[in-house]
Amino acid sequence: MPFSGFDIAVLVFVVLVVLILFAGIKTVAQGFNYTVERFGRYTKTLEPGLNLIIPFVDRIGARMNMMEQVLDVPTQEVITKDNASVAADAVAFYQVLNAPQAAYQVNNLETALLNLTMTNIRSVMGSMDLDELLSNRDAINDRLLRVVDEAASPWGIKITRVEIKDINPPNDLVDAMARQMKAERDKRAEVLEAEGSRNAQILRAEGSKQAAILEAEGTREAAFREAEARERLAQAEAMATKVVSEAIAVGDVQAINYFVAQKYTEAIQSIGTARNQKIVLMPMEASSLIGSLGGIGAIAKEVFGEGGQPAAGGTPRRGSVPSAGLRDDET
């Protein structure tokens, strides 16, 4: 059936209301912020979720990514403080903290951050020597992070990290560094070898010193004990001589027989142990030696008694030489 003018007007009104609602409702994804402009001027920022704006008056200005992002810094030539040319590249991580500042304080944010990072890399690395540059990469990263973050702060940007990926000196410089490192290692090896040799000589000298000291102490102790033994032997001989002298003084002939038998035995022993003697002729009777030994035994019995104790009275009795100590024709 045909529509009347009123029906058409109502239908147009409904469609217009739906279009207005769709134009005023904005959905912002998580991790993004949208800026709202009214007649070209910034008014507010839309957070993630469902938001309402005035249709046909407000419009979306910039869609800012609020997540942390990676900026790859290409390789560039750097002249160090000691005029060495090196090639270096880096990577930077940044995050937008203030969407209006990042959208309206700088034009082409990523390009600005890239050029800012490259400029500061040349500035920081150019103020260092090559050796310092190669050995202090952490210090370079810290300085770059501090400088770039301070420069990007007015843009509402937070630089979270700046890392130098590679530092490539020229090939001839690498060869020179390798030769220098080899020379340094050879030098350290020679120094360590010299120190080891010196320490070994010191230890050997100390060992020889201690050995000499111990040997001298051993010799001294041996000499002391030998002297002590000789002293005790002399005391024993002196005591024996005293006892025999006292026996002779009281007229005991057996004491004289004891000395004669002792010297007689020592003389026979000397003759028998001589190197230039092979045959020993003894123009005496063997019974005389046996008799002398018998006299020695008799003296010992009278002095010390039968059981090894001195005889009663302690004084050897007087008597003649026993027949065992004389020749057969004298008995």
Side-chain angles (χ1 to χ4, degrees):
M1 77 180 199
F3 291 99
S4 63
F6 179 75
D7 293 335
I8 295 173
V10 171
L11 182 60
V12 171
F13 179 75
V14 171
V15 172
L16 182 62
V17 170
V18 172
L19 291 175
I20 292 173
L21 289 177
F22 272 102
I25 297 176
K26 297 296 179 182
T27 302
V28 180
Q30 184 66 39
F32 288 85
N33 280 354
Y34 294 172
T35 61
V36 177
E37 298 175 356
R38 181 174 298 170
F39 302 115
R41 183 179 179 183
Y42 167 77
T43 56
K44 64 179 180 178
T45 301
L46 302 182
E47 302 289 339
L50 190 64
N51 296 272
L52 295 175
I53 62 174
I54 300 174
F56 311 111
V57 176
D58 296 338
R59 70 181 184 88
I60 301 300
R63 292 174 170 82
M64 303 303 301
N65 187 346
M66 307 300 290
M67 295 179 287
E68 188 172 0
Q69 302 177 64
V70 181
L71 182 65
D72 191 13
V73 181
T75 303
Q76 55 184 325
E77 295 291 332
V78 178
I79 305 298
T80 62
K81 187 177 180 180
D82 53 352
N83 296 324
S85 177
V86 296
D89 59 352
V91 60
F93 297 84
Y94 69 95
Q95 184 177 13
V96 177
L97 300 181
N98 192 311
Q101 289 182 350
Y104 302 112
Q105 294 293 331
V106 61
N107 185 26
N108 200 342
L109 177 62
E110 185 172 343
T111 303
L113 289 176
L114 180 61
N115 285 278
L116 179 64
T117 305
M118 293 175 63
T119 303
N120 283 280
I121 286 176
R122 287 193 295 268
S123 176
V124 172
M125 297 179 65
S127 63
M128 304 173 68
D129 294 332
L130 180 60
D131 293 338
E132 185 180 4
L133 191 68
L134 296 175
S135 60
N136 294 330
R137 186 170 297 188
D138 291 339
I140 297 173
N141 294 335
D142 292 339
R143 290 179 60 182
L144 283 174
L145 176 61
R146 185 174 62 254
V147 173
V148 177
D149 182 61
E150 184 179 356
S153 179
W155 302 340
I157 304 298
K158 174 63 178 177
I159 306 298
T160 57
R161 182 176 300 178
V162 179
E163 296 287 343
I164 299 296
K165 292 194 295 184
D166 291 320
I167 300 176
N168 299 318
N171 293 331
D172 56 347
L173 188 58
V174 173
D175 294 339
M177 292 172 61
R179 291 194 299 271
Q180 180 184 1
M181 183 176 297
K182 184 177 182 301
E184 288 291 335
R185 290 183 177 178
D186 292 341
K187 175 183 176 182
R188 282 183 290 178
E190 292 178 357
V191 170
L192 291 176
E193 185 178 359
E195 290 181 354
S197 177
R198 184 190 65 179
N199 293 335
Q201 292 178 0
I202 292 174
L203 292 177
R204 284 195 295 268
E206 290 181 354
S208 300
K209 175 183 176 182
Q210 293 295 330
I213 292 174
L214 293 176
E215 183 178 1
E217 291 180 353
T219 304
R220 184 185 65 178
E221 184 68 20
F224 174 77
R225 292 184 180 275
E226 183 179 359
E228 186 178 4
R230 288 198 302 269
E231 181 181 358
R232 291 184 179 179
L233 180 62
Q235 291 178 355
E237 291 179 354
M239 182 62 67
T241 303
K242 179 180 179 182
V243 171
V244 174
S245 299
E246 291 177 354
I248 294 173
V250 297
D252 193 348
V253 181
Q254 292 182 358
I256 301 175
N257 194 12
Y258 167 75
F259 270 111
V260 172
Q262 183 180 13
K263 298 299 181 181
Y264 188 67
T265 304
E266 291 177 356
I268 294 176
Q269 182 180 3
S270 300
I271 294 173
T273 57
R275 294 183 179 180
N276 56 352
Q277 295 293 333
K278 301 300 181 182
I279 299 175
V280 179
L281 299 178
M282 301 177 63
M284 69 283 292
E285 298 178 0
S287 60
S288 299
L289 177 60
I290 296 174
S292 300
L293 295 177
I296 296 173
I299 294 174
K301 288 181 180 180
E302 291 186 3
V303 174
F304 298 104
E306 295 292 337
Q309 300 296 330
T315 303
R317 63 180 180 85
R318 301 178 183 177
S320 61
V321 177
S323 59
L326 300 176
R327 293 198 306 269
D328 294 335
D329 56 355
E330 294 178 352
T331 55

